[in-house]
Amino acid sequence: MPWLCGFTSSTKAFLTSPSLVSFFPTPKPTFPPSSLSASRFPITVRLLSSFSASSLSDGNEDALVGVLSNFSGVRLEETVPIDSVKVRLDSWISSRVSGISRARVQSSIRLGLVRVNGQVVDKVSYNVKAGDEINCEISELRPLKAEAENIPLDIVYEDDSVLVVNKPPHMVVHPAPGNPTGTLVNGILHHCSLPTVEYSNQEFLSDDEDDELKNTSGDHNTSGASVRPGIVHRLDKGTSGLLVVAKDEHSHAHLSDQFKLHTIQRVYISLTSGVPSPLSGRIEVPIGRDSNNRIRMAAIPGANNSKQARHAASRYKVIEILAGGGSALVEWRLETGRTHQIRAHAKYLGIPLLGDEVYGGTKSMALSLLRPRTPSDIHGQLLKLVSGFERPSLHALALGFKHPYTGKNIHFTCQPPPDFAKILGQLRKISTVKPA
């Protein structure tokens, strides 16, 4: 493909095969039912509702699941075991309430809903000690408001029904706890002259995957607005590249259906730590949440469509072998859409993305692969290069979909941003080999 050689051509749109990405200020998300394990709550767990701790064994499981699906009102009363090691308050509570996010616990702490030995503690990093009595109430979900902000956007294509945007790295797609402003949603609300949007405050892992369609579809209160933007899919904060935005409900529904049917064409490129073997292939390994790290997903062999993981399939192809095999430029095409699919599959293959600290693509790993393959006089340059790259080297290069009104297959490509192009150029200077 010509775009792989120097990235000199400008962003362009042209008619080809189907593919897509879409946007609407996220509709009300849903969470899978969660349950509390009696073994993990040896003291007392009770709900601030019509349920009490005794309800756990009174045949009210179905009703209980409904209450716990978003954890609102859940109350934990427990004494820290004598053999416990030093641990942060937010981490300890998260470990005791199965399925809850750390961000949700932190919100509850900051709101003054957590007491330690009878005293309110609002510091999330407070260290609990053996024998401490913890009393925690999980806060209600509170709506966030997305305000229109004049943020420069790289608009690749726009008409009355869809908008295709080139998202820069380090930009969050929509407001969330910790990122209430400066997001792509804020910028699009301003660009499209839309009013403030209110939606549920939920925590997401984020990514470009259709796992999240269930979290980005539904109704939004837009204060009577006749046009409501909607996110059909997302990219991670660190991922750059193409997203499609639906500007009306027909377009949103049409694009959502294309995602569900896997007819959207998505092509990504990445720089990997090492080179995959074989140089091209198909990986079909289920993906689920990593039991050891809640913010990370994991490829879990043998767990297909279970509660722990869902079917996931990716195709990859090495475009260039870089720096004597210390890295590779790899193209990815997704058959399914799972949260962090490319990142989790790359880690499973033993080639985590360069710069992806969460999935093993650490600076030390990159240097351990690059230094033995390069002259010693450029090791200092390598260190500076690798240390300066602060995100997973993943770019959504191409996007294609069927236009929701015209029915035409439209396709877009977008060259990688300067940080990606710079490190690729430096690795090419060391050496580059294109597989036969």
Side-chain angles (χ1 to χ4, degrees):
M1 294 184 181
W3 47 262
L4 288 169
C5 300
F7 305 105
T8 56
S9 60
S10 61
T11 300
K12 50 191 174 182
F14 51 92
L15 299 179
T16 59
S17 58
S19 87
L20 160 78
V21 185
S22 164
F23 160 113
F24 263 30
T26 31
K28 188 172 184 178
T30 59
F31 278 99
S34 299
S35 60
L36 300 177
S37 168
S39 64
R40 295 184 65 184
F41 294 86
I43 309 300
T44 304
V45 175
R46 54 193 176 88
L47 306 175
L48 300 182
S49 66
S50 59
F51 300 111
S52 64
S54 61
S55 301
L56 290 171
S57 58
D58 289 344
N60 288 325
E61 288 85 354
D62 291 341
L64 182 63
V65 165
V67 174
L68 294 183
S69 62
N70 65 15
F71 301 100
S72 295
V74 169
R75 186 165 180 171
L76 168 68
E77 295 177 354
E78 188 169 349
T79 300
V80 179
I82 299 299
D83 57 353
S84 293
V85 296
K86 181 179 177 181
V87 63
R88 285 168 49 124
L89 180 60
D90 58 345
S91 297
W92 189 84
I93 295 174
S94 298
S95 72
R96 311 310 290 171
V97 183
S98 178
I100 198 169
S101 72
R102 177 90 59 97
R104 186 73 182 283
V105 171
Q106 290 176 344
S107 175
S108 302
I109 295 172
R110 293 187 178 110
L111 287 171
L113 298 178
V114 176
R115 291 177 178 268
V116 180
N117 300 323
Q119 301 296 314
V120 172
V121 174
D122 59 7
K123 184 178 179 181
V124 298
S125 60
Y126 175 87
N127 288 317
V128 301
K129 304 182 298 294
D132 281 348
E133 294 183 2
I134 311 296
N135 186 304
C136 170
E137 178 186 338
I138 302 302
S139 62
E140 295 289 329
L141 289 172
R142 299 185 178 187
L144 288 175
K145 286 187 176 181
E147 305 279 355
E149 296 180 51
N150 187 6
I151 300 172
L153 298 176
D154 184 359
I155 306 298
V156 176
Y157 173 82
E158 182 175 13
D159 60 27
D160 291 339
S161 56
V162 297
L163 181 72
V164 178
V165 181
N166 175 26
K167 187 188 87 67
H170 308 298
M171 174 182 272
V172 175
V173 171
H174 56 73
N179 293 286
T181 60
T183 72
L184 185 64
V185 166
N186 298 114
I188 289 174
L189 289 174
H190 179 272
H191 177 81
C192 297
S193 300
L194 296 173
T196 295
V197 175
E198 184 175 279
Y199 58 95
S200 291
N201 172 355
Q202 300 276 17
E203 296 79 37
F204 301 97
L205 278 168
S206 86
D207 208 327
D208 43 38
E209 321 301 5
D210 60 349
D211 255 357
E212 301 173 60
L213 286 173
K214 61 182 178 292
N215 292 332
T216 58
S217 59
D219 292 333
H220 272 285
N221 177 3
T222 56
S223 305
S226 59
V227 179
R228 300 186 292 175
I231 294 288
V232 179
H233 96 151
R234 292 167 292 166
L235 296 174
D236 279 342
K237 178 181 179 180
T239 303
S240 58
L242 296 171
L243 281 168
V244 66
V245 176
K247 297 171 73 174
D248 58 53
E249 299 215 20
H250 169 79
S251 299
H252 182 264
H254 196 282
L255 295 175
S256 295
D257 286 342
Q258 291 184 56
F259 265 100
K260 291 174 183 176
L261 295 172
H262 304 295
T263 59
I264 299 297
Q265 184 186 70
R266 294 171 288 175
V267 180
Y268 300 82
I269 55 171
S270 71
L271 294 170
T272 58
S273 298
V275 180
S277 180
L279 297 179
S280 63
R282 180 177 182 270
I283 176 172
E284 185 175 5
V285 180
I287 289 177
R289 194 177 298 278
D290 191 327
S291 60
N292 297 317
N293 185 337
R294 200 184 146 67
I295 68 170
R296 186 171 66 195
M297 306 300 285
I300 307 173
N304 205 27
N305 288 327
S306 68
K307 291 183 179 179
Q308 290 74 36
R310 298 179 64 193
H311 170 70
S314 309
R315 294 184 181 274
Y316 70 90
K317 179 174 65 175
V318 173
I319 305 301
E320 293 180 55
I321 299 172
L322 302 164
S327 182
L329 178 64
V330 180
E331 175 189 285
W332 301 85
R333 294 176 183 263
L334 303 182
E335 294 182 18
T336 56
R338 304 294 174 231
T339 300
H340 296 183
Q341 179 169 321
I342 291 174
R343 298 168 67 187
H345 275 172
K347 176 178 171 61
Y348 180 79
L349 289 172
I351 51 155
L353 306 188
L354 196 67
D356 194 351
E357 298 279 339
V358 173
Y359 285 86
T362 62
K363 296 175 177 62
S364 59
M365 180 182 184
L367 291 171
S368 70
L369 292 169
L370 292 169
R371 280 173 171 161
R373 296 170 170 84
T374 56
S376 59
D377 60 348
I378 67 167
H379 286 179
Q381 180 184 349
L382 281 176
L383 176 61
K384 183 178 179 180
L385 185 69
V386 171
S387 298
F389 199 80
E390 298 292 340
R391 67 176 182 99
S393 56
L394 184 62
H395 177 71
L397 177 84
L399 179 65
F401 56 93
K402 182 175 289 187
H403 194 281
Y405 283 96
T406 68
K408 291 183 178 180
N409 291 327
I410 54 178
H411 188 274
F412 305 91
T413 61
C414 176
Q415 61 182 340
D419 65 339
F420 190 110
K422 178 181 178 181
I423 194 167
L424 174 59
Q426 293 296 321
L427 292 173
R428 279 174 169 164
K429 286 182 179 179
I430 298 170
S431 73
T432 177
V433 176
K434 294 184 178 181

